[in-house]
Every structure is written in C-alpha cells, then in structure tokens.
Amino acid sequence: MSFTRFVRRVILLAALPLVLLGIPATVSAATVSAATTGAATGTSATDTGWLRLAHLSPNTPEVDVYLYSFGDSSAQVVLHHVGYGEESPYEQVPAGDYSVAMRAAGAAATSAPVLSASVNVAAGHAYTVAGLGPESGLRLQVLDDRLSTPAGHALVRIIQASLKQHVVSVSWNGHVLDSSLKFASVSPYQSVSPATATLTVSGGGESAHISVPLAAGTVHTLVVLDGAKGLVVSDLLDAAGSSKTPVGAAKTGFGGMAPRAPSSPLPWLAVIGAGLLLAMVGGRRLRGLTAARSQGC
Amino acid sequence: MLGGRLTAALVLAVGVAAASAGAAGLMLTRHPQVVQVSALRVLPAPTGPIVAVPQHGTAQVAKPVSLVIPAIGVSTSLIHLGLTSSGALQVPSSTSVAGWYTGSPRPGATGSSVIAGHIDSYRGPGVFFRLSDLRIGDRVYVKRADGTLAVFKVTAVKMYPKDKFPTAAVYGPAPDPELRLITCGGVFDHSLKSYLSNTVVYTTEVG
C-alpha cells in the first residue's frame, strides 16, 4: 500500500465518525422539538355528559326509572321506587343518544313503560329528565342544565311542581324571579348577585319561606312542591365552580427540572469545517509532492 | 523535499483531528441535559372511612387536609390558596406541598375543586413533578379534617399553553364532585423564567 492510499484511507476513517455522529445529533434535535409540540394535545378528551332523573308529578305514585343507551335493551341505570319530589344524583355518561322509561314501581323490566323519552347527551352538557304534570297528563321533559355562570353571579331557575297552587309567584332577596309561574312549567335561568337570602313562594293565599344560599359560581334549580301541608321548596345544586375565577394560568414551576435547550451548534460546525479544510489542504499538498517525486524518478 | 511532505502530513493529521474533535463536541452538546431524578416510590392507598356525599351537594363536607396519589408517589399536606393581588391563582410558597384553592368547592362536594402544586423548584423536583404521568383510571385520595376520605379517579390529563389556559373549563361549574390538579409543564422559557404550559388532571369522585 502506497503512502498516498494510506492517507486517503485515514481521511475516510476520520470522516466516518463525522457522518455517524452527525445523524444522531440531528435526530435528537428533531425528537426534542416533536415532543414539545406534541405535548400540547392531551392524553384523552372527556367525551361525557351528565343526566339526572326527577319525579315531579304530585299525584303520580312511585315509579321505577330506567336509563337505556340507545339501541341497547339492557338498562344502564335503574332507579327503584322514585317518589314525588325525588331526584337522582347526576350520572356521568358517554355522549350519545339515550332513552328514559318510567314504569310503575315494581313492574317487570320487560313490561311496556308508562312513559318514555329520548335524550341526546352532548359532551360537556348536563340534563334533567323530569316527569312533569298531573298523572292524567304526565310527560317526561328534558331540561338543559346550565354549567356556566356570569362572572361573580349565581344562576337560578324554578320548576313549579305544585298541583295545589296552580300559579305561584317567586321572589328571592326582594327580587321577583317570576310573578306567575304555572304548574308543570320551568322558568329560564336567571342571574342573581350572590347572597344567602330568603326565598318566598306564594300562591292562593299560601306561602313558603326558606333561606337559600346562592353563592357566586353556582347553578341552582328550586323546585316548588306540594308538602303534606302547604308549599315546600327544595333547593337543588345543579353545579358549582369557583366563586372567583382566577385570572390566567398558574405559576407552578421554577425550571429546576426543565430540560436545557441544546447550545448553538455553530462553534462546533466551524471547528469541523476548519479541520476538514486543513485536512484537504494537507492531503492535496501531500499528493502533489508524491506525484512530483514519482515523476522525478 | 522530505520536510515538505512531513509538513503536509502534519497539516493533514491536525485537520483530521480537529474535525473529529468538532464532531465529538457537536454530538455531546446536541441533546438536552436530562436531570437525574430518584426512582418513583409507589405508595399504598390510604385507608379511612370513604365518604362520598350522596345527594345534592348542598350538604357541607369537611375541609381537605392532605392529598395522596399512590401511582406517582405523592403524599402531601394541603395548604390553603387564595388569589394574588392581580387576581391570579396563588401558588404554594414551598414547592414540596400542594394547596387547595379556597374559592373552589371542597373536594367531594358538588362542583369543580382545584388543587395546585409545583412541578419543580430551582434545584429539583416539586410535589407535582410526575403529575403528567397520571393515566386515566388512576386514583387520587383526599383526606378531610374530619378524617374521612374522598376518592377520585382520573378522567383526563391535558396540557394547555399558558396563554390559552381554559379558565372556564378548569374553574367553571361542574354538576358532580370533581377535582382538578394543576401544575406546570411543557417548555421552560429561561428568559421568562417560566414554563410555557400548564398540566391539568381532571378527576371525578368514585361513587
């Protein structure tokens, strides 16, 4: 092997690690940037909504309430012996179509339901399926329950489920929420300033007073019911959030464990460039001298 | 003549050596520095009377006093957090404890309760260093002042850029007892001395 060929081989061998080292360097830089952008998306989305069931028909006896996922004949939830004025807690369910069926308490699950209704549950939304009206005209109504409040306020709506007093007026904290709410109707949500104050329901010379706390960031449904004697009001907390929404994001880190971004590659690239240039100059000169000598001989 | 060849060979050798050294230097500094962390200590689930408020949430539950997340080795007492003068969420002054935001519902009551903790300090890991490692279904335990336990399961793990933090989704009303755990995440901006994202873990009480 001639000296020239030996030199060439040395250059090749020296260049090899350059190539090999260069690849992982670029790859690792690429992975770092991919990881940071990919992190913006979450691990999973919550594609669920909420449903609750209520019996608000005064002269209808106890019922069994069934919840079916659409197209599935086995019930997802069964509530037994639900009486007037009772409601279930919210059930978290995957978004989709459902049907709710009411049967007389104790009736076979296979028997024809007295009433049924279909509900489309959208992700992130909550619904109340309420049996409303007198027994002779019982219906299942799907109510959209709100899950947000205006900043610093509470939301309240009223369900009038008193058969004894067909029309009632409702006021809270001196503010008239509804002056003539008819039996089996539902008022829209109203925004009120937070306070713990007296709610007054009156109709036909009867009235009921209860103290209701309406905190900022909470959503309430007040149900007017026939009591054993006179009117009764039940306060359902539909949803609750922070009384004051913090501004912006949370500053929960100081960076001690953060990966440091790689430093600039430029100085190293300059060293490599200079080295290669030097090697090339040396190699050329060497080849020239070798060629001159072999000619000279 | 021989002197010329020697010089040329020397130049060649120096060049090759410099190029190799440059390549080695490039490779050694191209990857981010990974900070060494002690191994994960998986904790046993705490024991105590598990009390889920069954109905209507208007019933009061006791204040939270401690938090245990066995899957990521978290066991911490809970301090109380309010808001800063600018209205932002106050964060614990210590990086080794988490805090409950007192403006949010108590853990286990109806609504979206909020607990925040640091991912790290200037030197090492904070109480919520591994929060983003939580997976759907992992359990979160909150012990309350009356000794009862509220148990939550993870339903989602999300990361949001801080300038697009969804305050309504995180702090807004929820119809069932939920708990949200907040810490920092993503890229740390050394010039701003701040992480650019927040990790939020959504959990729902196990009925």
Side-chain angles (χ1 to χ4, degrees), chain A residues 171-229:
Chain A
S171 60
W172 181 78
N173 203 11
H175 169 71
V176 177
L177 295 171
D178 205 303
S179 58
S180 60
L181 194 60
K182 291 193 184 68
F183 172 58
S185 65
V186 182
S187 81
Y189 279 109
Q190 292 183 50
S191 172
V192 297
S193 298
T196 296
T198 304
L199 181 92
T200 305
V201 180
S202 49
E206 271 187 27
S207 60
H209 308 271
I210 62 160
S211 175
V212 182
L214 299 179
T218 62
V219 183
H220 293 252
T221 295
L222 303 171
V223 187
V224 182
L225 299 163
D226 283 330
K229 231 173 84 179

Short mmCIF file of all heavy atoms in Angstrom, two decimals, chain A residues 171-229:
data_model
loop_
_atom_site.label_atom_id
_atom_site.label_comp_id
_atom_site.label_asym_id
_atom_site.label_seq_id
_atom_site.Cartn_x
_atom_site.Cartn_y
_atom_site.Cartn_z
N SER A 171 -90.09 35.06 44.77
CA SER A 171 -89.13 36.15 44.88
C SER A 171 -88.00 35.73 45.81
O SER A 171 -88.18 34.91 46.72
CB SER A 171 -89.81 37.42 45.38
OG SER A 171 -90.37 37.18 46.65
N TRP A 172 -86.85 36.27 45.54
CA TRP A 172 -85.66 35.95 46.34
C TRP A 172 -84.91 37.24 46.63
O TRP A 172 -84.63 38.01 45.70
CB TRP A 172 -84.76 34.98 45.56
CG TRP A 172 -83.53 34.57 46.32
CD1 TRP A 172 -83.46 33.66 47.32
CD2 TRP A 172 -82.21 35.07 46.13
NE1 TRP A 172 -82.18 33.56 47.78
CE2 TRP A 172 -81.38 34.41 47.07
CE3 TRP A 172 -81.65 36.02 45.28
CZ2 TRP A 172 -80.03 34.66 47.18
CZ3 TRP A 172 -80.29 36.28 45.39
CH2 TRP A 172 -79.49 35.59 46.33
N ASN A 173 -84.66 37.45 47.92
CA ASN A 173 -83.89 38.63 48.32
C ASN A 173 -84.56 39.92 47.82
O ASN A 173 -83.89 40.84 47.38
CB ASN A 173 -82.46 38.50 47.76
CG ASN A 173 -81.46 39.32 48.55
OD1 ASN A 173 -81.78 39.83 49.62
ND2 ASN A 173 -80.26 39.46 48.03
N GLY A 174 -85.90 39.92 47.84
CA GLY A 174 -86.62 41.11 47.43
C GLY A 174 -86.74 41.28 45.91
O GLY A 174 -87.32 42.25 45.43
N HIS A 175 -86.22 40.33 45.18
CA HIS A 175 -86.18 40.43 43.72
C HIS A 175 -87.16 39.39 43.16
O HIS A 175 -87.06 38.20 43.47
CB HIS A 175 -84.75 40.15 43.27
CG HIS A 175 -84.57 39.95 41.81
ND1 HIS A 175 -84.67 40.97 40.90
CD2 HIS A 175 -84.26 38.84 41.09
CE1 HIS A 175 -84.43 40.49 39.68
NE2 HIS A 175 -84.19 39.20 39.77
N VAL A 176 -88.15 39.84 42.38
CA VAL A 176 -89.15 38.90 41.85
C VAL A 176 -88.53 38.07 40.73
O VAL A 176 -88.09 38.60 39.70
CB VAL A 176 -90.39 39.65 41.33
CG1 VAL A 176 -91.39 38.67 40.72
CG2 VAL A 176 -91.05 40.43 42.46
N LEU A 177 -88.46 36.77 40.96
CA LEU A 177 -87.89 35.88 39.95
C LEU A 177 -88.94 35.52 38.91
O LEU A 177 -88.66 35.40 37.74
CB LEU A 177 -87.32 34.61 40.60
CG LEU A 177 -86.13 34.80 41.54
CD1 LEU A 177 -85.81 33.51 42.27
CD2 LEU A 177 -84.90 35.28 40.76
N ASP A 178 -90.17 35.31 39.38
CA ASP A 178 -91.27 35.03 38.47
C ASP A 178 -92.58 35.38 39.18
O ASP A 178 -92.80 34.96 40.31
CB ASP A 178 -91.26 33.56 38.05
CG ASP A 178 -91.95 33.37 36.70
OD1 ASP A 178 -93.12 33.75 36.58
OD2 ASP A 178 -91.28 32.85 35.78
N SER A 179 -93.43 36.16 38.52
CA SER A 179 -94.64 36.61 39.21
C SER A 179 -95.82 35.66 39.01
O SER A 179 -96.74 35.66 39.81
CB SER A 179 -95.01 38.02 38.75
OG SER A 179 -95.21 38.00 37.35
N SER A 180 -95.80 34.87 37.95
CA SER A 180 -96.89 33.92 37.77
C SER A 180 -96.41 32.67 37.02
O SER A 180 -96.50 32.58 35.80
CB SER A 180 -98.06 34.57 37.02
OG SER A 180 -97.62 34.99 35.76
N LEU A 181 -95.87 31.78 37.81
CA LEU A 181 -95.32 30.54 37.23
C LEU A 181 -96.38 29.45 37.35
O LEU A 181 -96.85 29.13 38.44
CB LEU A 181 -94.04 30.16 37.98
CG LEU A 181 -93.14 29.12 37.32
CD1 LEU A 181 -92.66 29.59 35.94
CD2 LEU A 181 -91.93 28.83 38.20
N LYS A 182 -96.76 28.88 36.20
CA LYS A 182 -97.84 27.89 36.18
C LYS A 182 -97.35 26.50 36.51
O LYS A 182 -96.17 26.18 36.31
CB LYS A 182 -98.50 27.89 34.79
CG LYS A 182 -99.28 29.15 34.48
CD LYS A 182 -100.15 28.94 33.24
CE LYS A 182 -100.87 30.20 32.86
NZ LYS A 182 -99.94 31.27 32.36
N PHE A 183 -98.27 25.67 36.98
CA PHE A 183 -97.97 24.28 37.31
C PHE A 183 -97.33 23.57 36.12
O PHE A 183 -97.75 23.75 34.98
CB PHE A 183 -99.27 23.56 37.71
CG PHE A 183 -99.12 22.07 37.89
CD1 PHE A 183 -98.21 21.56 38.81
CD2 PHE A 183 -99.86 21.16 37.12
CE1 PHE A 183 -98.05 20.20 38.98
CE2 PHE A 183 -99.69 19.78 37.29
CZ PHE A 183 -98.79 19.31 38.22
N ALA A 184 -96.33 22.77 36.41
CA ALA A 184 -95.61 21.94 35.42
C ALA A 184 -94.81 22.77 34.42
O ALA A 184 -94.46 22.29 33.35
CB ALA A 184 -96.58 21.02 34.67
N SER A 185 -94.52 24.03 34.78
CA SER A 185 -93.65 24.80 33.88
C SER A 185 -92.31 25.09 34.56
O SER A 185 -92.18 24.98 35.78
CB SER A 185 -94.33 26.09 33.44
OG SER A 185 -94.53 26.92 34.56
N VAL A 186 -91.36 25.45 33.74
CA VAL A 186 -89.98 25.67 34.20
C VAL A 186 -89.56 27.06 33.78
O VAL A 186 -89.67 27.41 32.60
CB VAL A 186 -89.04 24.62 33.57
CG1 VAL A 186 -87.62 24.80 34.09
CG2 VAL A 186 -89.54 23.20 33.84
N SER A 187 -89.09 27.86 34.72
CA SER A 187 -88.64 29.21 34.36
C SER A 187 -87.25 29.12 33.73
O SER A 187 -86.52 28.17 33.97
CB SER A 187 -88.56 30.09 35.61
OG SER A 187 -87.35 29.86 36.31
N PRO A 188 -86.88 30.11 32.92
CA PRO A 188 -85.49 30.13 32.43
C PRO A 188 -84.55 30.45 33.60
O PRO A 188 -85.00 30.95 34.63
CB PRO A 188 -85.49 31.24 31.38
CG PRO A 188 -86.75 31.99 31.55
CD PRO A 188 -87.69 31.22 32.41
N TYR A 189 -83.27 30.16 33.42
CA TYR A 189 -82.28 30.53 34.44
C TYR A 189 -82.18 32.05 34.51
O TYR A 189 -82.25 32.73 33.50
CB TYR A 189 -80.90 29.97 34.07
CG TYR A 189 -80.70 28.52 34.41
CD1 TYR A 189 -80.63 27.56 33.41
CD2 TYR A 189 -80.54 28.10 35.72
CE1 TYR A 189 -80.41 26.22 33.71
CE2 TYR A 189 -80.31 26.77 36.03
CZ TYR A 189 -80.25 25.83 35.02
OH TYR A 189 -80.02 24.53 35.33
N GLN A 190 -82.03 32.56 35.72
CA GLN A 190 -81.79 33.98 35.90
C GLN A 190 -80.52 34.18 36.69
O GLN A 190 -80.20 33.41 37.59
CB GLN A 190 -82.95 34.62 36.66
CG GLN A 190 -84.24 34.65 35.87
CD GLN A 190 -85.34 35.36 36.66
OE1 GLN A 190 -85.15 36.44 37.17
NE2 GLN A 190 -86.48 34.71 36.75
N SER A 191 -79.82 35.25 36.34
CA SER A 191 -78.57 35.57 37.02
C SER A 191 -78.87 36.46 38.22
O SER A 191 -79.60 37.44 38.11
CB SER A 191 -77.67 36.30 36.02
OG SER A 191 -76.54 36.80 36.68
N VAL A 192 -78.34 36.09 39.38
CA VAL A 192 -78.55 36.91 40.58
C VAL A 192 -77.23 37.18 41.28
O VAL A 192 -76.27 36.41 41.14
CB VAL A 192 -79.52 36.23 41.58
CG1 VAL A 192 -80.90 36.04 40.98
CG2 VAL A 192 -78.97 34.88 42.05
N SER A 193 -77.19 38.27 42.03
CA SER A 193 -75.99 38.57 42.82
C SER A 193 -75.94 37.61 44.00
O SER A 193 -76.96 37.34 44.63
CB SER A 193 -76.04 40.00 43.35
OG SER A 193 -76.05 40.89 42.27
N PRO A 194 -74.75 37.10 44.29
CA PRO A 194 -74.65 36.08 45.33
C PRO A 194 -75.04 36.61 46.71
O PRO A 194 -74.69 37.73 47.07
CB PRO A 194 -73.18 35.67 45.31
CG PRO A 194 -72.47 36.76 44.58
CD PRO A 194 -73.46 37.37 43.64
N ALA A 195 -75.79 35.80 47.44
CA ALA A 195 -76.18 36.13 48.82
C ALA A 195 -76.85 34.90 49.41
O ALA A 195 -77.23 33.98 48.69
CB ALA A 195 -77.15 37.30 48.84
N THR A 196 -76.97 34.90 50.73
CA THR A 196 -77.83 33.91 51.38
C THR A 196 -79.05 34.69 51.83
O THR A 196 -78.94 35.59 52.66
CB THR A 196 -77.12 33.27 52.58
OG1 THR A 196 -76.00 32.56 52.08
CG2 THR A 196 -78.04 32.29 53.30
N ALA A 197 -80.18 34.41 51.22
CA ALA A 197 -81.36 35.24 51.49
C ALA A 197 -82.61 34.38 51.48
O ALA A 197 -82.57 33.19 51.18
CB ALA A 197 -81.46 36.37 50.48
N THR A 198 -83.72 35.03 51.79
CA THR A 198 -84.98 34.30 51.90
C THR A 198 -85.68 34.21 50.55
O THR A 198 -85.81 35.20 49.83
CB THR A 198 -85.91 35.01 52.91
OG1 THR A 198 -85.19 35.11 54.14
CG2 THR A 198 -87.19 34.22 53.12
N LEU A 199 -86.12 33.01 50.25
CA LEU A 199 -86.90 32.78 49.05
C LEU A 199 -88.37 32.69 49.48
O LEU A 199 -88.70 31.97 50.42
CB LEU A 199 -86.47 31.46 48.40
CG LEU A 199 -87.21 31.12 47.11
CD1 LEU A 199 -86.47 31.66 45.91
CD2 LEU A 199 -87.40 29.62 46.98
N THR A 200 -89.20 33.44 48.82
CA THR A 200 -90.63 33.41 49.14
C THR A 200 -91.42 32.90 47.95
O THR A 200 -91.27 33.42 46.84
CB THR A 200 -91.12 34.83 49.53
OG1 THR A 200 -90.30 35.31 50.59
CG2 THR A 200 -92.57 34.79 49.97
N VAL A 201 -92.22 31.87 48.20
CA VAL A 201 -93.10 31.34 47.16
C VAL A 201 -94.51 31.54 47.66
O VAL A 201 -94.84 31.14 48.78
CB VAL A 201 -92.83 29.84 46.92
CG1 VAL A 201 -93.77 29.31 45.84
CG2 VAL A 201 -91.39 29.61 46.54
N SER A 202 -95.35 32.19 46.88
CA SER A 202 -96.72 32.36 47.34
C SER A 202 -97.71 32.15 46.20
O SER A 202 -97.42 32.41 45.03
CB SER A 202 -96.91 33.73 47.98
OG SER A 202 -96.39 34.72 47.13
N GLY A 203 -98.88 31.66 46.58
CA GLY A 203 -99.95 31.41 45.63
C GLY A 203 -101.21 31.03 46.37
O GLY A 203 -101.14 30.27 47.35
N GLY A 204 -102.32 31.59 45.96
CA GLY A 204 -103.61 31.25 46.56
C GLY A 204 -103.65 31.44 48.06
O GLY A 204 -104.22 30.62 48.76
N GLY A 205 -103.00 32.49 48.54
CA GLY A 205 -103.03 32.78 49.96
C GLY A 205 -102.05 31.95 50.78
O GLY A 205 -101.90 32.16 51.97
N GLU A 206 -101.37 31.00 50.14
CA GLU A 206 -100.36 30.21 50.86
C GLU A 206 -98.98 30.75 50.51
O GLU A 206 -98.76 31.23 49.39
CB GLU A 206 -100.43 28.75 50.41
CG GLU A 206 -101.38 27.89 51.21
CD GLU A 206 -101.26 26.43 50.83
OE1 GLU A 206 -100.17 26.04 50.37
OE2 GLU A 206 -102.26 25.72 50.96
N SER A 207 -98.06 30.62 51.44
CA SER A 207 -96.70 30.98 51.07
C SER A 207 -95.69 30.16 51.87
O SER A 207 -96.01 29.62 52.93
CB SER A 207 -96.46 32.48 51.27
OG SER A 207 -96.68 32.82 52.61
N ALA A 208 -94.52 30.04 51.31
CA ALA A 208 -93.43 29.32 51.97
C ALA A 208 -92.19 30.18 51.93
O ALA A 208 -91.95 30.90 50.94
CB ALA A 208 -93.19 28.00 51.26
N HIS A 209 -91.41 30.15 52.99
CA HIS A 209 -90.16 30.91 53.05
C HIS A 209 -89.03 29.95 53.40
O HIS A 209 -89.14 29.22 54.37
CB HIS A 209 -90.21 31.99 54.13
CG HIS A 209 -91.42 32.87 54.03
ND1 HIS A 209 -91.44 34.01 53.28
CD2 HIS A 209 -92.66 32.75 54.58
CE1 HIS A 209 -92.63 34.57 53.38
NE2 HIS A 209 -93.39 33.83 54.16
N ILE A 210 -87.99 29.98 52.61
CA ILE A 210 -86.80 29.23 53.03
C ILE A 210 -85.57 30.09 52.76
O ILE A 210 -85.58 30.95 51.87
CB ILE A 210 -86.63 27.85 52.33
CG1 ILE A 210 -86.46 28.01 50.80
CG2 ILE A 210 -87.75 26.90 52.65
CD1 ILE A 210 -85.81 26.77 50.19
N SER A 211 -84.55 29.83 53.56
CA SER A 211 -83.30 30.56 53.37
C SER A 211 -82.47 29.77 52.34
O SER A 211 -82.23 28.59 52.52
CB SER A 211 -82.56 30.66 54.69
OG SER A 211 -81.31 31.25 54.47
N VAL A 212 -82.09 30.44 51.26
CA VAL A 212 -81.33 29.76 50.21
C VAL A 212 -79.99 30.46 50.02
O VAL A 212 -79.96 31.67 49.77
CB VAL A 212 -82.11 29.78 48.87
CG1 VAL A 212 -81.34 29.03 47.80
CG2 VAL A 212 -83.48 29.17 49.05
N PRO A 213 -78.90 29.72 50.14
CA PRO A 213 -77.60 30.33 49.84
C PRO A 213 -77.32 30.21 48.34
O PRO A 213 -77.26 29.11 47.81
CB PRO A 213 -76.63 29.48 50.66
CG PRO A 213 -77.29 28.15 50.81
CD PRO A 213 -78.76 28.31 50.55
N LEU A 214 -77.18 31.33 47.67
CA LEU A 214 -76.81 31.31 46.26
C LEU A 214 -75.42 31.92 46.14
O LEU A 214 -75.27 33.15 46.18
CB LEU A 214 -77.83 32.07 45.41
CG LEU A 214 -79.28 31.54 45.43
CD1 LEU A 214 -80.19 32.41 44.56
CD2 LEU A 214 -79.34 30.09 44.94
N ALA A 215 -74.40 31.08 46.06
CA ALA A 215 -73.02 31.55 46.01
C ALA A 215 -72.61 31.83 44.57
O ALA A 215 -73.14 31.23 43.64
CB ALA A 215 -72.10 30.51 46.63
N ALA A 216 -71.64 32.73 44.41
CA ALA A 216 -71.12 33.02 43.06
C ALA A 216 -70.55 31.73 42.46
O ALA A 216 -69.95 30.92 43.16
CB ALA A 216 -70.03 34.07 43.15
N GLY A 217 -70.79 31.55 41.19
CA GLY A 217 -70.26 30.37 40.51
C GLY A 217 -71.09 29.12 40.72
O GLY A 217 -70.65 28.02 40.37
N THR A 218 -72.30 29.25 41.28
CA THR A 218 -73.14 28.07 41.46
C THR A 218 -74.42 28.20 40.63
O THR A 218 -74.88 29.30 40.33
CB THR A 218 -73.54 27.84 42.94
OG1 THR A 218 -74.30 28.96 43.40
CG2 THR A 218 -72.32 27.66 43.82
N VAL A 219 -74.99 27.06 40.26
CA VAL A 219 -76.21 26.99 39.47
C VAL A 219 -77.23 26.19 40.26
O VAL A 219 -76.94 25.07 40.72
CB VAL A 219 -75.94 26.28 38.11
CG1 VAL A 219 -77.20 26.28 37.26
CG2 VAL A 219 -74.78 26.94 37.37
N HIS A 220 -78.42 26.79 40.48
CA HIS A 220 -79.43 26.14 41.31
C HIS A 220 -80.73 25.94 40.55
O HIS A 220 -81.10 26.76 39.70
CB HIS A 220 -79.76 27.00 42.54
CG HIS A 220 -78.63 27.12 43.50
ND1 HIS A 220 -78.61 26.50 44.72
CD2 HIS A 220 -77.46 27.81 43.41
CE1 HIS A 220 -77.49 26.79 45.35
NE2 HIS A 220 -76.77 27.58 44.57
N THR A 221 -81.45 24.85 40.91
CA THR A 221 -82.83 24.69 40.48
C THR A 221 -83.68 24.60 41.75
O THR A 221 -83.40 23.78 42.63
CB THR A 221 -83.02 23.41 39.65
OG1 THR A 221 -82.27 23.53 38.44
CG2 THR A 221 -84.48 23.18 39.30
N LEU A 222 -84.65 25.50 41.87
CA LEU A 222 -85.53 25.49 43.05
C LEU A 222 -86.85 24.85 42.61
O LEU A 222 -87.44 25.27 41.62
CB LEU A 222 -85.76 26.91 43.56
CG LEU A 222 -84.48 27.67 43.91
CD1 LEU A 222 -84.78 29.13 44.20
CD2 LEU A 222 -83.79 27.02 45.10
N VAL A 223 -87.26 23.82 43.33
CA VAL A 223 -88.47 23.11 42.94
C VAL A 223 -89.57 23.42 43.95
O VAL A 223 -89.40 23.23 45.16
CB VAL A 223 -88.21 21.59 42.89
CG1 VAL A 223 -89.43 20.88 42.31
CG2 VAL A 223 -86.98 21.28 42.05
N VAL A 224 -90.69 23.92 43.45
CA VAL A 224 -91.85 24.20 44.30
C VAL A 224 -92.72 22.95 44.31
O VAL A 224 -93.16 22.46 43.26
CB VAL A 224 -92.66 25.40 43.75
CG1 VAL A 224 -93.83 25.71 44.68
CG2 VAL A 224 -91.75 26.61 43.59
N LEU A 225 -92.91 22.41 45.53
CA LEU A 225 -93.61 21.13 45.67
C LEU A 225 -94.81 21.28 46.60
O LEU A 225 -94.86 22.20 47.42
CB LEU A 225 -92.67 20.08 46.28
CG LEU A 225 -91.40 19.72 45.50
CD1 LEU A 225 -90.42 19.01 46.40
CD2 LEU A 225 -91.74 18.86 44.29
N ASP A 226 -95.75 20.36 46.46
CA ASP A 226 -96.82 20.26 47.44
C ASP A 226 -96.30 19.50 48.64
O ASP A 226 -95.81 18.38 48.51
CB ASP A 226 -98.00 19.47 46.85
CG ASP A 226 -98.81 20.32 45.88
OD1 ASP A 226 -98.84 21.56 46.08
OD2 ASP A 226 -99.39 19.75 44.94
N GLY A 227 -96.37 20.13 49.81
CA GLY A 227 -95.97 19.43 51.03
C GLY A 227 -97.19 18.75 51.63
O GLY A 227 -98.30 18.83 51.10
N ALA A 228 -96.97 18.06 52.75
CA ALA A 228 -98.09 17.47 53.46
C ALA A 228 -99.06 18.58 53.84
O ALA A 228 -100.28 18.39 53.85
CB ALA A 228 -97.59 16.73 54.70
N LYS A 229 -98.49 19.74 54.15
CA LYS A 229 -99.30 20.91 54.46
C LYS A 229 -98.67 22.10 53.76
O LYS A 229 -97.53 22.45 54.03
CB LYS A 229 -99.28 21.14 55.98
CG LYS A 229 -100.68 21.31 56.59
CD LYS A 229 -100.60 21.34 58.10
CE LYS A 229 -100.27 22.74 58.61
NZ LYS A 229 -100.22 22.79 60.09
#
